Amino acid sequence: MIDTSEFLTHARVDAEVLETWIEAGWLVLRQDPDAGGFSDVDVARAQLIRDLQEDLGVNEEGVSVILDLIDQIHGLRRTLRDLISAVGEEPETTRHRIVTYVRERRP
Amino acid sequence: MSADPYQVLGVNREASQEEIQKAYRKLAKKLHPDLNPGNKKAEENFKEVTAAYDLLSDADKRGRFDRGEIDASGAERPRQRYYRDFAEGDGAHVYTSDAGFADMDGMDDILSGIFGERGRRAGNFRMRGGDVQYRLELDFLDAINGASRRVTLPDGSVLDVAIPPGTRDGQVLRLRGKGTRGIGGGPPGDALVEIAVRPHPYFRREGDNIHLDLPVSLTEAVLGAKIKVPTPAGAVTMTVPKDSNTGTVLRLRGKGVPRSKGARGDEYVTLKVMLPEKHDPDLASFVSGWSNKDYNPRRGMEV
């Protein structure tokens, strides 16, 4: 865990900007601020927000939409990954049945 | 990397800085690793594009490259860590959203069977609260001069609405954060208040100007007078020039609708000459002896 001033340095943003990001729901403070409040995930997420705004010229509404979709994608990816590994634990015949089922439905 | 940066960005050697930035943004939107979480190759291409942009967007470096003083190698940015590298880890659970499959039939049962609680609830779904719409009726002068209104909402809470001076009929005031609460820590929505302005018995509004039909007596019209005239901000004194007539329009500068920065529109006063309401024998005998009593105001109508 890292504290706010460390976070501001790593993420290269100022406190005012951080405030607006939290208000917009782009960053979420951890429940226990004494433990630091931020983690590497937040630094990477801040870097993404800066890339979107500065490098790609995305406006504020655009950033919200993109973050929301990215969060959904990662939720889906994580679940899909877990499902795939669960399928991998099944006996060969079950695996085969599931893979065939999925393949037949692909366009 | 030693590919030609101009080729990497797909621009010619004379390209302006704007063209270079445009080309870069177009490619970066396609290739940014966080916009391609499942595509490892995107990262390689993105690095190449970013390095080319870093070189060409810096006028000094670009000049040295063009003169052959430096080559394109060694221009790569230090490798940053991308969000996707964390997004499926445990630390990212506050962001990761299951909204992408929340509507799938049967998914709840299957997932709750496999993953326990996490599969059942919609993850850490964050959403901005909804906007709520209200309609507020205002008296004409309150809309012109500005006012404050307290609105009681269906849930019993109260909302103070500041009506800015010059508010128009049909205008929608947005009260940030006064809508429904956000979900999962998302920001609240806004309250949208649509204003309906009730008509005034004698003022009419056109844009930022006020129009008024003003009755004047025969004496005031013929001889001229100083009279009191209502304006949205209170009565003012106006001079009616002698020989005024019904339809004469007088302008009161700056007595109309307030605009931003203290300016105001004008009030246009259209005179309406009124004869006394009851029969007046004096007036009748005066007009009978009036030398110009054959004046015909309908000359232009061919009757």
Side-chain angles (χ1 to χ4, degrees):
Chain A
M1 281 301 201
I2 46 187
D3 66 25
T4 304
S5 69
E6 253 182 296
F7 174 83
L8 295 175
T9 313
H10 285 307
R12 281 179 287 159
V13 293
D14 57 44
E16 224 168 278
V17 171
L18 174 63
E19 188 90 358
T20 65
W21 288 5
I22 290 172
E23 205 167 298
W26 296 353
L27 284 179
V28 176
L29 270 169
R30 298 298 181 276
Q31 296 305 320
D32 180 12
D34 291 340
F38 294 99
S39 73
D40 289 344
V41 187
D42 302 300
V43 176
R45 195 172 169 92
Q47 175 76 53
L48 167 60
I49 294 170
R50 288 186 42 227
D51 281 357
L52 292 174
Q53 290 190 316
E54 292 166 21
D55 282 8
L56 306 192
V58 177
N59 66 15
E60 211 170 294
E61 285 77 16
V63 171
S64 290
V65 171
I66 290 168
L67 287 180
D68 192 43
L69 290 175
I70 286 180
D71 291 341
Q72 290 192 38
I73 285 181
H74 288 298
L76 286 166
R77 281 173 58 81
R78 189 185 169 135
T79 304
L80 186 59
R81 194 190 301 281
D82 291 346
L83 270 174
I84 288 168
S85 66
V87 170
E89 305 275 296
E90 292 297 305
E92 171 68 39
T93 49
T94 312
R95 286 208 316 259
H96 183 73
R97 209 165 55 231
I98 293 172
V99 169
T100 308
Y101 182 95
V102 173
R103 191 177 287 149
E104 277 173 357
R105 273 156 187 78
R106 297 190 73 151
Chain B
M1 187 205 75
S2 51
D4 175 23
Y6 290 100
Q7 269 179 24
V8 170
L9 294 183
V11 294
N12 64 41
R13 304 187 85 82
E14 285 74 41
S16 67
Q17 288 301 316
E18 286 76 36
E19 285 168 333
I20 286 172
Q21 189 190 52
K22 220 174 132 191
Y24 167 69
R25 286 187 166 176
K26 205 170 158 190
L27 288 166
K29 276 175 194 161
K30 267 208 178 90
L31 296 173
H32 193 290
D34 278 328
L35 303 179
N36 295 275
N39 181 357
K40 289 289 167 203
K41 196 164 169 290
E43 185 172 338
E44 281 309 307
N45 294 337
F46 182 67
K47 253 159 91 172
E48 201 174 53
V49 165
T50 307
Y53 179 65
D54 283 350
L55 181 62
L56 296 186
S57 63
D58 180 325
D60 178 51
K61 278 194 205 160
R62 183 182 176 185
R64 287 168 65 198
F65 174 81
D66 287 346
R67 290 190 298 273
E69 293 167 19
I70 53 171
D71 63 23
S73 62
E76 285 167 19
R77 278 187 203 179
R79 192 213 173 308
Q80 70 173 46
R81 293 208 285 177
Y82 295 109
Y83 180 68
R84 68 176 188 184
D85 301 333
F86 299 90
E88 285 165 60
D90 285 338
H93 69 275
V94 292
Y95 300 117
T96 310
S97 155
D98 290 348
F101 53 81
D103 65 334
M104 289 187 194
D105 284 346
M107 229 20 192
D108 269 10
D109 294 339
I110 295 172
L111 292 178
S112 61
I114 295 172
F115 307 116
E117 253 320 282
R118 189 178 171 274
R120 188 169 299 142
R121 64 202 165 91
N124 287 279
F125 178 62
R126 267 180 306 117
M127 203 176 86
R128 182 179 172 275
D131 292 340
V132 284
Q133 304 202 334
Y134 303 104
R135 203 180 121 89
L136 183 59
E137 271 200 20
L138 285 180
D139 282 341
F140 187 89
L141 290 179
D142 285 341
I144 303 277
N145 295 322
S148 171
R149 283 284 171 281
R150 175 159 287 192
V151 182
T152 307
L153 307 185
D155 66 359
S157 58
V158 290
L159 193 62
D160 284 314
V161 184
I163 314 292
T167 298
R168 287 181 307 279
D169 186 42
Q171 192 172 334
V172 177
L173 304 177
R174 178 179 288 269
L175 306 176
R176 293 214 178 275
K178 300 295 185 189
T180 57
R181 266 187 306 179
I183 298 169
D190 300 334
L192 302 173
V193 182
E194 188 185 346
I195 300 297
V197 179
R198 284 189 281 261
H200 192 272
Y202 41 84
F203 291 128
R204 288 188 319 280
R205 177 173 179 175
E206 280 174 32
D208 289 335
N209 296 326
I210 292 290
H211 291 257
L212 170 68
D213 287 337
L214 186 73
V216 290
S217 71
L218 188 61
T219 326
E220 288 162 344
V222 174
L223 304 178
K226 272 188 185 302
I227 57 174
K228 288 215 160 194
V229 183
T231 78
V236 299
T237 305
M238 180 181 81
T239 303
V240 176
K242 63 179 184 181
D243 296 326
S244 293
N245 205 339
T246 293
T248 298
V249 179
L250 302 172
R251 180 165 70 157
L252 293 170
R253 196 186 284 273
K255 296 298 176 190
V257 181
R259 300 187 192 120
S260 53
K261 291 176 192 146
R264 291 181 84 108
D266 303 327
E267 178 168 307
Y268 288 90
V269 178
T270 305
L271 300 184
K272 213 162 107 186
V273 178
M274 303 294 281
L275 297 179
E277 281 143 37
K278 284 189 191 143
H279 174 72
D280 186 318
D282 266 7
L283 183 60
S285 75
F286 162 71
V287 172
S288 311
W290 183 28
S291 64
N292 193 17
K293 70 181 171 196
D294 292 330
Y295 158 68
N296 178 7
R298 295 174 299 283
R299 270 187 317 255
M301 292 181 167
E302 297 173 6
V303 288

